[in-house]
Every structure is written in structure tokens, then in C-alpha cells.
Amino acid sequence: MTEQREQRIENLVRSVVREFQETARMTGVAAADPAVLDAFRRVPRDEFVPDAGTGQAWEDRALPIGHGQTISQPFVVVLMTQLLELQPDTRVLEIGTGSGYQAALLAELAGEVYSIEVVPELAAAAASRLQRLGYQNVQVRTGNGRDGWPEAAPFDAVIVTAGADSIPPALVEQLRIGGRLVIPVDTRWAGQDLLVCVKQEDGSLSERRALSVIFVPLVGRG
Ligand code: SAH
């Protein structure tokens, strides 16, 4: 690793840590988890974005990945990951593979990652990228993520990385009791509320709003 690249990563980590502090009252998360930050340092974001040489990969912002889609802002990716409270044996479902970056970060911290992407070209590119980078605990498939991945259910955690108009019922069904769902849901105005939900004994969801976010839309009907 070049010194410059390492420096850029550390600068980005610092800015993510600062954003955790600045949003703590809203997110209910006091600070970035060192284990999540270490995982973040290990995932080569520059392998997941175009124009790798420009250094843009290590700025705290979303970037285009083609097909009108974006790789999310690092702070939001780290926050959503932390909100899932992953353990080494956690089985996670991600909706919206995109570049595969979030899936890689999940794979660093969880046991098994299942990720669904609706654009076949993005799914194929992400799957081969993840394989090339050595992530063996991630499976990617093309499909409508609103239906979830019934054969692999139940999941301990579900993360949706596109803005949903409402919570897709299949994703709740496929979440185990006590499992966590992190999902951006459209507000009446612009953008989404990032919701952190926990599945209750009776099958219902507790919901907490953690942040205002802007994601590309979750397409298709549930
Ligand atoms: N997590 C990605 C970024 C997500 S961008 C990353 O780390 O790079 C949102 C992605 O959700 C886009 O790639 C978009 O094509 C996908 N998407 C939108 N609607 C979807 C649906 N119904 N099912 C699966 N994927 C969907």
C-alpha cells in the first residue's frame, strides 16, 4: 500500500468518526465501533468505484457506478453496518448489491452474506469483483430484492440500500425474531428516513428513525 493511499484512508476514517459524533443525538449511536472501522479500513473502496486512480474513492461521498446507480457515502455505509450489530456468525441479507462494496464490508464482520441486485450487469460485476478480492462468504444474485431470498431465510439481519416506499413484507417474514432490519423509507417530502427495526415476538416491527438520507429508489413492485 502506498503511503498516500494509507493517508487518504485514515483521513476518511477521521471524517467518518467526526460524522458519528455530529449525528450522535439523531442516530442514537454514541461513536463509531472500532471493529467496524477496522473492517472499513480493510475493504479497498478504490476497487469498487470507477476512476480508481483519482483518489475520489477516499472522499466521504457517494459516487456513480453506472446504470444510474451510486455507491453510498462511506459514513452512511459504516453507520448502517454498525446499526445491524453484526456478529461473526450473523447471516445477513442485503437488497441492492450495486458495486458490492457494502456486501464486502458486511462480509468482513458477518458469517454469511446474501445480496440481491436488480440490474443483471451490476450483479455480475459485483459478484466477480467480490470473488477476485477473496470474499468467499458472499453470494450475489439478480432479482427483485422485495421478494427477499426465501431459500436462505431466516436472516439475523437485513439491510436495504435503496429507498423504499414502504417496508417490503417478505423482508420482515424472512427476518428472525429479534433480528434487525435497516432500511431507508421515503418520507412525504424529499429523501428517506433511515429506519432501524427489530422484529418482535409477535412478528411486528419496532421502528426507530436514525437519520435523514437520500438513496436511489428501490424499483419494482412488492
Ligand atoms: N449497496 C451498494 C449501493 C446501492 S445503490 C454498494 O455498496 O455499492 C442501490 C442499488 O439497488 C442499485 O444498484 C439498484 O440497481 C439496486 N436496486 C434498486 N431496486 C432494487 C430491487 N427491487 N431489488 C434489488 N436491487 C435493487
Side-chain angles (χ1 to χ4, degrees), residues 40-62:
F40 175 76
R41 287 184 177 94
R42 289 196 296 271
V43 182
R45 193 168 187 260
D46 45 1
E47 297 279 356
F48 292 82
V49 302
D51 307 321
T54 65
Q56 283 189 328
W58 306 112
E59 291 170 16
D60 193 19
R61 56 191 179 94

Side-chain angles (χ1 to χ4, degrees), residues 69-70 94 96-99 102 117-119 144-145 161 216 218-219:
Q69 305 303 329
T70 54
E94 180 194 23
T97 316
S99 67
Q102 171 78 74
E117 169 57 50
V118 75
V119 177
N144 184 351
T161 62
V216 296
L218 186 71
V219 302

